[in-house]
Amino acid sequence: MFMKTLYTILASVVLVCAIQTTSFAQSTDITETFKKHFNETVQVVHETEDADEKRAILNQSFNKMITAIDRIESRASLSEDEIASLNTYKAGLTDKLSELNGLDGFDEIMDEDLNDFSNFSQDFIEQANRTITIGVGTALLILIILLLI
């Protein structure tokens, strides 16, 4: 009888903890995910000596984030405000990608300036006055996309 009561109490405690954790984890900030991803990119750029490789790393990182945003928009049910925030964020990333490669009226970033450009881009992402809150399922989708692409 005592063991049965103990198991019931233990199961109840686990259930309460699971419900509480779920209630706190209903949303996450996508910009924090992108900040962490780009911080890692900047570290790799600074550790790399070859300018072509640095440019490729930055291109890949910007493209991953843009692709993640595209997939989020197509797969998640977002409000109009969330879609507008994502589009603004995506436009900023697209501008950085164009600036890196000298597209859309931008001058191409010189090889010797790639470390500074990565820092500048990191500052842009860090200081972006946008907070895009999304569901946990969508946040997991973003992490998977960033890891797989």
Side-chain angles (χ1 to χ4, degrees), residues 78-142:
L78 304 172
S79 70
E80 287 183 29
D81 289 340
E82 291 168 330
I83 291 171
S85 293
L86 279 175
N87 286 334
T88 301
Y89 201 80
K90 180 180 170 184
L93 293 172
T94 303
D95 284 347
K96 292 294 172 207
L97 184 62
S98 295
E99 187 176 356
L100 175 64
N101 296 304
L103 304 171
D104 298 327
F106 290 101
D107 292 330
E108 183 178 25
I109 300 299
M110 303 301 293
D111 290 348
E112 62 270 9
D113 295 331
L114 288 171
N115 283 349
D116 291 338
F117 177 75
S118 69
N119 290 335
F120 174 72
S121 297
Q122 182 180 21
D123 290 344
F124 165 78
I125 291 170
E126 292 279 336
Q127 295 174 0
N129 195 13
R130 309 171 208 25
T131 301
I132 305 168
T133 304
I134 56 173
V136 172
T138 307
L140 291 175
L141 176 67
I142 293 166

Side-chain angles (χ1 to χ4, degrees), residues 2 15 18 21 23 28 30 37 59 74 96 116 118 123 129:
F2 175 73
L15 181 63
T21 302
S23 68
T28 188
I30 186 175
H37 168 74
N59 271 312
S74 68
K96 292 294 172 207
D116 291 338
S118 69
D123 290 344
N129 195 13

Side-chain angles (χ1 to χ4, degrees), residues 26-49:
Q26 288 301 312
S27 63
T28 188
D29 183 1
I30 186 175
T31 53
E32 290 302 318
T33 303
F34 284 150
K35 286 177 186 179
K36 182 185 285 186
H37 168 74
F38 203 75
N39 287 341
E40 293 168 4
T41 299
V42 170
Q43 290 174 2
V44 172
V45 166
H46 284 272
E47 292 170 359
T48 304
E49 295 296 323

Side-chain angles (χ1 to χ4, degrees), residues 16 52 62 124 138:
V16 168
D52 290 335
F62 286 128
F124 165 78
T138 307

Side-chain angles (χ1 to χ4, degrees), residues 7-18:
Y7 286 134
T8 303
I9 292 172
L10 182 60
S12 298
V13 169
V14 169
L15 181 63
V16 168
C17 289

